[in-house]
Amino acid sequence: MPALAPAFVGGAVMLCARRVGAVLASLAGSLGYLAAHVALLGLPELSPVAAVERLPYVLLGIGVVVALCGARTSALADAALLSACLGASWWLTESARANELAGTPGVLVLGGLALVGFGTSQLLGAVSRAGEAWVAPLLVAVLALALAPALIMGRSGSLAQLAGALCAASSAAAVLCWRGSSKEEGMMMARGVAPALSLLAVCGALYAYLDPWAAACLALAPLLSGFGLRKDEEWSLSRGFIASSLCALLGLWLAYQGMPAPSPYDY
């Protein structure tokens, strides 16, 4: 049931978005993620210590910002989304920056994570506008599916299961977009959940044992889908998927190479 919950919740939100408004679709992935978190780990704590407890609130916040901004590409909407990604990155990396990443390294991680999350959201919006309705949600699902085993190799079973929740919710959204050709709903869903890929990867590196280079590859993999964009405002499915998939596979290989020795305290 925990594996199916995000797919049911994400699909239900996408169906409601067709009746109420496409902006509601930006909450499909984050609500599916929250459903999986509740099923697996219980309600997230309001005053959490672990970053995994903060992620549901972070994703809901980003989803709300995307919903409020809609499909607009104004400077104000971009500034709001960038601010949301910066706030999410600051909250998730707070304990790591206080203990291990004081000074310049912490600032670089914070700024880089915010820019990657913002850029991924914007790029998947462009991919969705240039391609079919189901392309962006499917790309998120594929990359989340690659992220899950990498997190397992980094000794973070809970984060891996939550990456699987993103995969399930995004897969449901891709199927509904494929059957109904709801381009705007697919774009909003992808934009709302896209930053979660980089946030999960970095949390695996900071709070578990995921190799940092593997986390970087997995976080940057969605950005390589931009290789499929063409000057005629179209998107090449093969080029975009191949570029992103190769980067994700490199991240998986690096995660395997950097996998720590088994311990009875894992997971």
Side-chain angles (χ1 to χ4, degrees):
M1 188 60 191
L4 297 177
F8 284 131
V9 172
V13 175
M14 289 291 291
L15 289 174
C16 292
R18 294 182 180 180
R19 296 178 178 271
V20 178
V23 294
L24 184 62
S26 63
L27 298 175
S30 54
L31 289 176
Y33 184 96
L34 176 62
H37 191 287
V38 171
L40 293 166
L41 305 171
L43 286 171
E45 301 176 13
L46 291 176
S47 301
V49 176
V52 67
E53 295 290 328
R54 297 183 172 189
L55 274 167
Y57 298 116
V58 162
L59 297 184
L60 280 174
I62 292 176
V64 168
V65 170
V66 173
L68 292 175
C69 296
R72 292 172 292 181
T73 57
S74 65
L76 182 60
D78 292 345
L81 179 58
L82 181 58
S83 299
C85 291
L86 183 60
S89 303
W90 178 85
W91 204 31
L92 287 180
T93 63
E94 182 180 9
S95 60
R97 287 183 291 108
N99 297 315
E100 301 175 2
L101 296 173
T104 302
V107 173
L108 291 176
V109 169
L110 175 63
L113 183 56
L115 289 175
V116 169
F118 171 77
T120 300
S121 181
Q122 295 291 78
L123 182 60
L124 287 184
V127 167
S128 183
R129 286 189 291 269
E132 298 291 337
W134 49 268
V135 165
L138 181 62
L139 184 61
V140 172
V142 170
L143 296 178
L145 184 62
L147 178 60
L151 290 168
I152 286 285
M153 288 184 277
R155 292 186 186 172
S156 183
S158 56
L159 287 177
Q161 291 178 86
L162 293 172
L166 288 180
C167 177
S170 301
S171 298
V175 170
L176 290 174
C177 289
W178 171 62
R179 292 182 61 86
S181 299
S182 305
K183 178 170 285 192
E184 190 173 358
E185 285 85 349
M187 178 183 70
M188 297 299 295
M189 186 274 168
R191 289 193 63 196
V193 78
L197 297 172
S198 56
L199 294 174
L200 281 171
V202 169
C203 282
L206 293 180
Y207 303 111
Y209 296 94
L210 180 62
D211 183 83
W213 289 108
C217 288
L218 292 162
L220 294 173
L223 293 175
L224 295 187
S225 63
F227 281 107
L229 292 173
R230 298 175 175 175
K231 294 182 179 179
D232 53 0
E233 297 185 356
E234 292 184 357
W235 189 72
S236 171
L237 180 66
S238 59
R239 288 175 58 185
F241 261 99
I242 288 174
S244 295
S245 299
L246 287 176
C247 188
L249 288 174
L250 176 60
L252 277 172
W253 181 79
L254 290 172
Y256 177 76
Q257 293 297 314
M259 184 169 55
S263 165
Y265 302 103
D266 289 350
Y267 316 113

